[in-house]
């Protein structure tokens, strides 16, 4: 048996809508599924505007670009996240100011934010990690107090709520990804959300090379070609129709693993429930107690040998070699995030996983870890 770390589920109207694209010839970003997908998603997330783009990374890049940050401006953000969160910040010659994670929730430790604010701070980026939202109220209070923009990366959170309000609805600008391991996939794809008319217009322009309506092929600014195709939107629309079932399935997978792995005392499991949210288990992470990187890697190698796919946790941004090229040196310490990145990995939990596959994962993990 081989259990892949992720396998998407495409068993709704995906095929039907794709055939419609082919039959009608609408395959580019001009097709009718784009607007439909944007409208349905903005409604679902409770936002005024949704702007479809070609992936979740460029969604963040454009969000950063749209905020008009200047060289030297500081953005407070978690160190424990994917490189996608920082590419736009570095290219704008802005300065990332990192905060450590919370050892229980694995999310950014919001109690550290205020102490990192300087006169150059312009924004806070929050990234909801692995299925539990960031504790948003303190973040929103600080942002208001210091007049900072909030950028919200909700790539892993479609359908998750914080105190009953959708993740992806908290940022001045928020983004999601539709990579195949997300709750909604379009193969590759992303979306930008905002309620601000000007920001929305700017994102739309940046997405499409900053063409101007008055005279095509004249450009006052540089944009991106980050357009989503009608084919992608067709798949996304079908995926959105099934979002509630997908969330239910994700939570079932999470509960199964929580229950079956609860007695292994050498590992930390994800927080099942915080006062503000129930975990949606985008992935099911495991953190080895009192371990190091090589022990974690050998456990993952052993699981792989037994036909079980895993992925390591994110590697901290403050430790990324590429920072040096942008002249960024980081002196603060981030013990929790460093430990997560060295001792954490996630086990198979894609939407297409079967109970038999999950049993196989649990049995092997138990065999290896319980001596
Ligand atoms: C998946 C992901 C992204 C990037 O999305 P892509 O579509 O792969 O570019 C960004 N941020 C987080 C937290 C993610 O999990």
């Amino acid at each position: 048996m081989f259990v892949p770390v992720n396998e998407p589920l495409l068993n709704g109207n995906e095929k039907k809508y794709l055939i419609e694209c082919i039959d009608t010839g609408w395959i580019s970003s001009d097709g009718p599924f784009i607007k439909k997908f944007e409208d349905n998603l903005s409604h679902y997330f409770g936002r005024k505007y949704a702007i479809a783009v070609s992936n979740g990374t460029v969604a963040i890049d454009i969000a950063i670009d749209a905020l008009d940050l200047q060289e030297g401006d500081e953005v407070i953000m978690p160190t424990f996240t994917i490189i996608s969160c920082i590419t736009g910040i570095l290219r704008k010659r802005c300065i990332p100011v990192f905060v450590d994670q919370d050892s229980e929730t694995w999310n950014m430790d919001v109690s550290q934010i205020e102490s990192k604010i300087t006169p150059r701070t312009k924004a806070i980026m929050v990234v909801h990690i692995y299925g539990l939202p960031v504790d948003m109220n303190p973040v929103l209070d600080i942002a208001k107090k210091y007049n900072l923009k909030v950028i919200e990366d909700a790539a892993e959170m479609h359908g998750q709520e914080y105190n009953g309000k959708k993740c992806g609805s908290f940022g001045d600008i928020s983004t999601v990804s539709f990579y195949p391991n997300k709750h909604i996939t379009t193969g590759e794809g992303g979306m930008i959300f905002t309620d601000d008319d000007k920001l929305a217009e700017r994102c739309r322009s940046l997405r499409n090379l900053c063409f101007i309506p008055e005279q095509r092929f004249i450009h006052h600014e540089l944009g991106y070609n980050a357009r989503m195709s009608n084919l992608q939107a067709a798949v996304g629309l079908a995926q959105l129709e099934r979002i509630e079932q997908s969330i239910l399935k994700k939570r079932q997978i999470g509960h199964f693993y929580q229950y079956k792995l609860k007695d292994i005392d050498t590992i930390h499991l994800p927080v099942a429930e915080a006062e503000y949210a129930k975990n949606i288990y985008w992935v099911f992470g495991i953190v080895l107690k009192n371990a190091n990187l090589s022990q974690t890697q050998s456990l993952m190698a052993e699981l792989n040998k037994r036909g079980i796919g895993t992925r390591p946790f994110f590697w901290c941004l403050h430790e990324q070699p590429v920072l040096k090229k942008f002249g960024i040196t980081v002196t603060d310490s981030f013990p929790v995030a460093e430990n997560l990145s060295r001792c954490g990995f996630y086990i198979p939990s894609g939407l297409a996983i079967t109970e038999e596959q999950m049993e196989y994962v649990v049995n092997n993990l138990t065999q290896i870890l319980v001596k």
Side-chain angles (χ1 to χ4, degrees), residues 55-57 60 81-82 84 127 153 155-156 177 179 182 189 282 314:
N55 58 70
T57 302
I60 304 169
T81 182
I82 189 168
S84 313
V127 186
D153 179 3
E156 307 175 354
S177 159
Y179 190 70
K182 317 291 183 183
W282 171 60
F314 294 128

Side-chain angles (χ1 to χ4, degrees), residues 145-163:
K145 182 169 163 195
Y146 294 92
N147 192 25
L148 306 175
K149 296 287 183 205
V150 174
I151 307 152
E152 179 190 21
D153 179 3
E156 307 175 354
M157 290 289 144
H158 321 76
Q160 176 60 299
E161 294 177 348
Y162 171 86
N163 281 338

Side-chain angles (χ1 to χ4, degrees), residues 259-275:
Y259 180 71
K260 298 273 183 171
L261 299 174
K262 69 180 183 338
D263 295 325
I264 304 182
D265 57 13
T266 53
I267 56 176
H268 292 290
L269 298 177
V271 169
E273 193 172 339
E275 41 185 295

